[in-house]
Amino acid sequence: MDIISHGLYGWVVFGNKNKKQFRLSAAFGVLPDFLAFGFPFAVGIIAMLSWDGNMFSGWYHTQPNYIHYIYNVTHSLITWAVVFGALRLIYKKPVKASFAWLLHILIDIPTHSLAFFATPFLRPISNYRFNGIAWSNRVIFIPNLIVLAILYSIYFYKKYRKNYIHN
Ligand SMILES: [Zn+2]
């Protein structure tokens, strides 16, 4: 799924307690893609500015293989379980917002095809990847917008009820 939807899902599903939870859940929701693409993106921007006259030559020269490596690590259920366990030990309770990361992986499994970043959810135990339908396909993209609209309508409706009706 696209990174904005991931953030919105993390936010609405796990961050509905308070502002801090909200931000933390959205952050965990985008983290797997942010770690894989954020750094190369930043490097690409800097390279674009400092390269010769050609804006895009810098960008192309800095598209590294490690994107795939980071992507494989951040999109594995095993990595998530290890981080979840570590956070649990540190904070002595499950960190609810980190479930947004789990949700990210679960959403990515059916919404990526083998042609574009299929989700390596069992790495490093297995390299199996499910051949789903790309999220950019309208049969995924439009229902995704509808589901998000429904979730946020419920969220704001509940918030409205709490603030204005039950006071
Ligand atoms: Zn992803």
Side-chain angles (χ1 to χ4, degrees):
M1 194 59 75
D2 65 285
I3 191 163
I4 294 168
S5 297
H6 279 307
L8 291 173
Y9 278 117
W11 192 336
V12 77
V13 177
F14 297 108
N16 39 19
K17 269 260 168 61
N18 54 44
K19 274 216 175 104
K20 198 181 146 214
Q21 274 289 331
F22 236 56
R23 277 193 289 259
L24 204 59
S25 299
F28 269 109
V30 300
L31 192 74
D33 286 349
F34 183 77
L35 290 177
F37 300 112
F39 181 66
F41 186 74
V43 171
I45 296 285
I46 293 164
M48 250 163 69
L49 298 174
S50 59
W51 226 263
D52 48 37
N54 189 342
M55 284 254 297
F56 292 105
S57 70
W59 171 259
Y60 287 128
H61 284 298
T62 54
Q63 286 312 296
N65 289 331
Y66 65 74
I67 292 181
H68 285 275
Y69 180 77
I70 299 171
Y71 193 88
N72 287 344
V73 173
T74 59
H75 285 74
S76 161
L77 293 175
I78 291 142
T79 308
W80 174 79
V82 170
V83 174
F84 178 77
L87 289 173
R88 210 200 142 111
L89 280 178
I90 295 166
Y91 294 100
K92 303 201 167 39
K93 59 176 189 208
V95 176
K96 191 182 164 199
S98 70
F99 284 105
W101 179 346
L102 175 64
L103 183 67
H104 179 131
I105 299 172
L106 295 178
I107 291 173
D108 270 356
I109 293 171
T111 60
H112 281 260
S113 71
L114 291 177
F116 186 75
F117 287 98
T119 311
F121 61 101
L122 295 173
R123 295 265 296 189
I125 292 170
S126 160
N127 208 17
Y128 172 76
R129 287 151 207 245
F130 179 72
N131 190 17
I133 301 171
W135 56 260
S136 51
N137 189 314
R138 62 172 177 254
V139 300
I140 299 284
F141 198 77
I142 293 168
N144 173 50
L145 294 180
I146 295 169
V147 171
L148 279 172
I150 292 170
L151 289 176
Y152 274 87
S153 303
I154 295 170
Y155 170 77
F156 283 112
Y157 175 69
K158 276 188 178 165
K159 200 173 163 170
Y160 166 80
R161 264 190 29 166
K162 210 170 118 204
N163 289 347
Y164 297 101
I165 297 176
H166 287 294
N167 267 350

